Amino acid sequence: MGTAPKEATAHTRAANAPVELGFDPADFDRASRGLVAQIPDGRIETPYGVVWDMSRYDFIERDSTNPDTVNPSLWRQAQLNGIHGLFEVAPGIWQARGYDISNITFIAGETGWIIVDPLTVEPCAKACLDLANATLGERPVTAVIYTHSHTDHFGGVRGVTTHDDVDAGRCRIIAPVGFMRETIGENVIAGYAMIRRAMYQFGPLLPAGPRTHVDCGLGKAIPFWPPGLIAPSEEITETGTELVVDGVRIVFQLTPEAEAPAEMNFFFPDHGWLCTAENCTHNMHNLVPIRGALVRDSLKWSKYCGELLELFGDRIELMFASHHWPRWGNADVVQYLTLQRDLYRWVHDQTMRLANHGYNATEIAEMLTMPPEFRAEAHTVGYYGHLAHNIKAVYQRYLSWYDGNPANLWKLPPVDAGRRYVEAIGGVDALLASARRSFDAGDYRWVVELLNHLVFADPTNTEARELQADAFEQIGYQCESATFRNAYLMGAQELRNGCLPRTPAGRHGYLDAMTPEQLFDTLAVKLNADAVGGLSVRINFTFTDLGEQWVLGLANRALHAVPGRHDPAAEVTITTTKPVLYKVIEGGVPFADAIAAAIADGTVVAQGDVAAAERIFGHLDTFLSNFPLVEP
Ligand SMILES: [Zn+2]
C-alpha cells in the first residue's frame, strides 16, 4: 500500500487557492508584542527524549502563502501559533507562549510568582519557569491558579511547585469549585475511548509537514509527557469573590458548564487586567470536542461573556487567556468580548430556531453558514471548533443524537449495513467505480460515506482503503478547522499504514485525583457481565490513607458501591490504601497473585474469604489502546 501523503487534487488546489482573508493584521503584532526571551528553537528536552520542538514547524514561515495542501485561513492561524517566547504583557505580567498547546502566565506578586495555568506537562512548565527566572530575576512560586479542569491547564504543576510547598502553605493553589470532581469526572469512565479519539483530534502521531500536521487551532501541538496533578488548596465558590494573592487583588467569575465543567474568569482591579481562561480565545471553540466529552452549554457560555462585560467592561485595560495572544485597550477588548458573546449565542439560538421548525442536526449544519459579522474577525472562526459540529452539539444538548425519524432510530451497525449497501449498489466493483467517479468530481464527502460501507464490509480491500484514504486526505487538506484536518489525516494515515500496536491502556496519571467512588465506577465498566452471571459478593474496604469505609457489591451482573459503612455480612474485609488497590487492579497480573503479594508484603490486610473477591476482580476486562476507528 502507498504510505506517503499525496498531493492536492485540482479541486483541493482550487479550494485552497491563496486569498486575501481580510483579518486584522494586528493579530501578528499582538502575538509578537513584548518579546523578552526565547527557548532556542523552541526545543524542550529531557534525558528521556524531546518533549516539545517548535523547529518541526519551521516550514510555516511568517510571511509565506499557504501551500495547496493547507487551507489558507488555517495557515494564518498556524503562523500565529508558531510565534513562541516569553512576552511582557504589561509591567508585572508575562506569558510564555508556544511551548505547549496552552500558555503559562507569570504575575509578579509582592514576594514571588503567581502562576496562571502551569501547562500540560512538567518539563514544559519547568522550562518556562526557568526562562522567566533567568530573564526576569529569580522568584519563588507563591501561588498557582488553575483556570479550569482540563489537563493542559494543570498537568505541568509539578514543574513549578511541589506537594511539600503546597502542604506547608508556601504555595497556594486556587481553582474553581468542583475542580477535582470534574477533572476526573469528565474523562474517567470514558477515558480509554476518549484518549484514543483525542489522537484524531490533536494528531500527535502525524508528522509535522504541509501534507500532515500544521496546527491544533488552539495552539501548535500537544507535548509528549505524562501530566501530573497537585490538588488545589482552595476553591472559588462564588462569582464576585475577591482574594488578595501575594499582595495582588483578584476578583473571580465562575463559568461552569461553558468551556469546561469547572472554570473561572478573573479580573485584577488594580491593573485592569482580565483573564478569560479558555472561555474567550482567538477561535470559535468546541461546544463538544471531537474526542468526545459531555456536551457544553452554549447559552450559558454566551451569558458568562455578557456577565463579564457587565462586571468589568468599563475597567478592562487588557485581556489575556490561556491560549493564544492577549489584546490591549478597553475599546478593543470590549469589542472582542461582545463578538465572542454573540457568536456562542448565535450558534445556540439559530440552531434551536431551525430545530423548532423541524430540521434535524445534519440539515441545520448545512443550512447555517457563518454570517459576515463573525467571518470578519479571525477570533470567531472555527480553527478549533467547527460550525457544523457545534450545531450538532447544541441540538444534542436539547434533543439528543436522534433526529426523530424512525429510519434512524435503530440502525444496523457499520459492518452489517456495509455488506448490505455493497450488495444493493451492485457489488464491490460497482461501488468502487461509483466512488472513483465521485472522487474525480471532487465530491469527497460523498466518497467517504460510500466507501465507508465497503471498508467495513471488507477491510482487506486494498483499493477501497486507498481511495478512502485519498478522499479523507483531500477533505483534510481543505479544512479550516485544525481538529477536522487532524481527524481526516489520521484516518488516511491509519488506512494506509495501519494503527500502532494495541497494548493495555492505563489511566495511571489520574489516580491521585480519583475518589474511591470514581475508582469503583471505573472498575465497574470493566466488569465482564457475561462471566459473572449467578455470582454475588460483598467486599468491605477500609482506605487507611483516606480514613474511609466502603462496601463494594456484585449482584445481578452489576456492581454497586456504598460509602460510609461496612456490611457485617460481607464475605471479606480489605484494609489498604487507594494506590495499592489501584495497583492490584491495574498492575497487569492476575488478581489472586497481586492480592497474595500485597498481603505478603503487608500493604493489604484481608479478613474473611479473600478468594470471594475474585468474583469481581477475577472478571475485569483489560482495555487496549489504538482500537480501530476507520475500519472494523
Ligand atoms: Zn486548554
Side-chain angles (χ1 to χ4, degrees):
M1 264 192 248
T3 56
K6 296 188 177 167
E7 62 185 18
T9 62
H11 300 288
T12 297
R13 281 200 301 278
N16 285 345
V19 286
E20 188 49 60
L21 295 160
F23 294 143
D24 186 358
D27 279 337
F28 285 91
D29 304 327
R30 294 183 183 109
S32 311
R33 175 171 163 169
L35 178 70
V36 290
Q38 281 184 312
I39 294 172
D41 288 333
R43 198 176 155 85
I44 299 168
E45 279 183 88
T46 73
Y48 305 101
V50 176
V51 179
W52 187 260
D53 185 1
M54 269 307 223
S55 70
R56 297 167 69 222
Y57 296 93
D58 281 350
F59 67 94
I60 307 172
E61 290 169 29
R62 162 75 196 266
D63 294 315
S64 59
T65 50
N66 61 299
D68 56 16
T69 51
V70 184
N71 176 288
S73 177
L74 176 59
W75 187 252
R76 176 183 182 275
Q77 186 81 346
Q79 289 173 320
L80 285 160
N81 281 336
I83 298 170
H84 66 90
L86 177 68
F87 302 87
E88 186 187 62
V89 179
I93 177 170
W94 296 263
Q95 281 192 315
R97 301 195 295 267
Y99 299 126
D100 197 303
I101 193 168
S102 50
N103 300 335
I104 182 170
T105 303
F106 300 94
I107 294 158
E110 271 176 8
T111 62
W113 290 124
I114 302 160
I115 287 182
V116 180
D117 286 353
L119 304 177
T120 313
V121 299
E122 185 179 326
C124 294
K126 184 175 184 311
C128 290
L129 177 60
D130 289 348
L131 183 66
N133 279 332
T135 311
L136 309 169
E138 182 115 11
R139 292 177 170 90
V141 175
T142 50
V144 175
I145 301 176
Y146 298 149
T147 59
H148 64 290
S149 53
H150 291 155
T151 316
D152 54 322
H153 302 270
F154 62 80
V157 65
R158 289 197 187 111
V160 301
T161 188
T162 62
H163 275 288
D164 285 350
D165 278 350
V166 176
D167 290 345
R170 290 186 292 270
C171 179
R172 299 166 73 171
I173 298 189
I174 301 162
V177 66
F179 173 87
M180 286 299 276
R181 183 184 68 240
E182 299 300 345
T183 289
I184 298 306
E186 196 185 32
N187 56 19
V188 79
I189 287 177
Y192 302 87
M194 204 183 283
I195 282 218
R196 168 64 173 146
R197 291 171 50 134
M199 294 292 168
Y200 273 57
Q201 174 169 332
F202 296 105
L205 301 178
L206 293 169
R211 293 183 183 181
T212 43
H213 196 265
V214 297
D215 208 66
C216 287
L218 193 60
K220 186 49 71 189
I222 51 172
F224 287 98
W225 198 261
L229 175 61
I230 300 176
S233 56
E234 50 200 296
E235 287 193 339
I236 302 299
T237 58
E238 242 182 303
T239 290
T241 301
E242 180 177 315
L243 293 183
V244 179
V245 181
D246 195 6
V248 179
R249 281 205 300 152
I250 308 176
V251 183
F252 296 85
Q253 179 209 22
L254 290 174
T255 63
E257 290 189 276
E259 193 272 326
E263 187 152 3
M264 58 188 185
N265 299 321
F266 40 94
F267 183 67
F268 298 76
D270 297 319
H271 302 283
W273 306 335
L274 174 69
C275 175
T276 56
E278 195 167 327
N279 290 308
C280 299
T281 52
H282 283 84
N283 50 208
M284 177 175 63
H285 210 287
N286 285 308
L287 297 179
V288 72
I290 62 174
R291 67 174 156 85
L294 296 180
V295 70
R296 296 160 187 175
D297 188 336
S298 50
L299 182 58
K300 280 188 184 163
W301 198 328
S302 173
K303 287 181 178 179
Y304 292 138
C305 296
E307 185 181 55
L308 204 50
L309 286 164
E310 293 301 317
L311 287 171
F312 311 118
D314 54 346
R315 293 180 284 161
I316 303 167
E317 295 302 322
L318 69 87
M319 64 77 54
F320 65 96
S322 292
H323 293 275
H324 303 133
W325 42 94
R327 300 183 79 98
W328 290 265
N330 182 268
D332 178 74
V333 176
V334 167
Q335 196 176 31
Y336 164 86
L337 291 173
T338 302
L339 202 61
Q340 287 275 315
R341 175 195 70 189
D342 297 343
L343 169 71
Y344 295 110
R345 188 67 193 236
W346 173 81
V347 177
H348 173 273
D349 291 354
Q350 296 311 305
T351 298
M352 293 318 296
R353 179 177 69 86
L354 293 172
N356 283 317
H357 278 303
Y359 297 103
N360 68 36
T362 310
E363 290 166 335
I364 300 166
E366 300 301 315
M367 292 166 80
L368 291 177
T369 51
M370 275 287 191
E373 288 86 343
F374 303 123
R375 285 300 317 186
E377 291 283 351
H379 71 79
T380 40
V381 169
Y383 298 117
Y384 189 53
H386 185 290
L387 179 59
H389 197 67
N390 279 349
I391 287 165
K392 290 168 187 170
V394 174
Y395 188 98
Q396 173 200 328
R397 185 168 178 99
Y398 288 95
L399 294 165
S400 89
W401 65 270
Y402 174 50
D403 63 4
N405 175 357
N408 297 318
L409 183 57
W410 190 21
K411 295 187 76 140
L412 291 166
V415 171
D416 299 287
R419 287 183 184 140
R420 288 165 172 83
Y421 269 106
V422 173
E423 192 195 332
I425 290 162
V428 172
D429 292 343
L431 189 148
L432 274 170
S434 176
R436 200 165 289 288
R437 280 195 301 277
S438 295
F439 185 92
D440 292 341
D443 194 2
Y444 304 124
R445 285 173 65 191
W446 172 245
V447 174
V448 301
E449 181 167 340
L450 192 57
L451 277 175
N452 194 52
H453 292 304
L454 180 49
V455 172
F456 274 78
D458 179 12
T460 67
N461 187 314
T462 306
E463 206 180 333
R465 296 176 71 98
E466 289 192 345
L467 190 55
Q468 181 74 326
D470 292 350
F472 275 157
E473 187 168 68
Q474 296 303 319
I475 298 173
Y477 288 166
Q478 294 183 25
C479 284
E480 190 174 42
S481 163
T483 53
F484 267 43
R485 175 186 171 96
N486 292 339
Y488 283 112
L489 297 187
M490 271 297 291
Q493 180 166 292
E494 293 194 342
L495 280 169
R496 288 170 178 156
N497 304 318
C499 302
L500 290 178
R502 302 193 65 183
T503 52
R507 307 292 293 140
H508 309 285
Y510 291 98
L511 173 67
D512 275 1
M514 268 193 216
T515 62
E517 183 177 10
Q518 289 167 331
L519 190 60
F520 290 139
D521 287 346
T522 310
L523 187 77
V525 298
K526 295 182 148 213
L527 183 74
N528 188 324
D530 293 338
V532 296
L535 297 182
S536 65
V537 67
R538 281 159 295 181
I539 308 170
N540 290 330
F541 281 96
T542 297
F543 293 105
T544 53
D545 50 339
L546 307 170
E548 290 185 26
Q549 291 190 331
W550 284 80
V551 186
L552 178 67
L554 165 65
N556 304 311
R557 302 178 195 247
L559 294 188
H560 57 274
V562 183
R565 65 174 176 88
H566 275 175
D567 185 333
E571 281 85 347
V572 58
T573 296
I574 292 175
T575 303
T576 187
T577 59
K578 192 179 60 158
V580 169
L581 177 65
Y582 186 81
K583 201 172 143 209
V584 167
I585 300 165
E586 288 271 48
V589 289
F591 174 73
D593 299 345
I595 197 89
I599 290 169
D601 70 18
T603 52
V604 164
V605 175
Q607 291 167 293
D609 179 10
V610 182
E614 279 275 342
R615 292 173 211 162
I616 294 174
F617 294 102
H619 300 113
L620 301 179
D621 281 357
T622 299
F623 296 130
L624 300 178
S625 61
N626 298 314
F627 54 78
L629 286 166
V630 291
E631 59 184 300

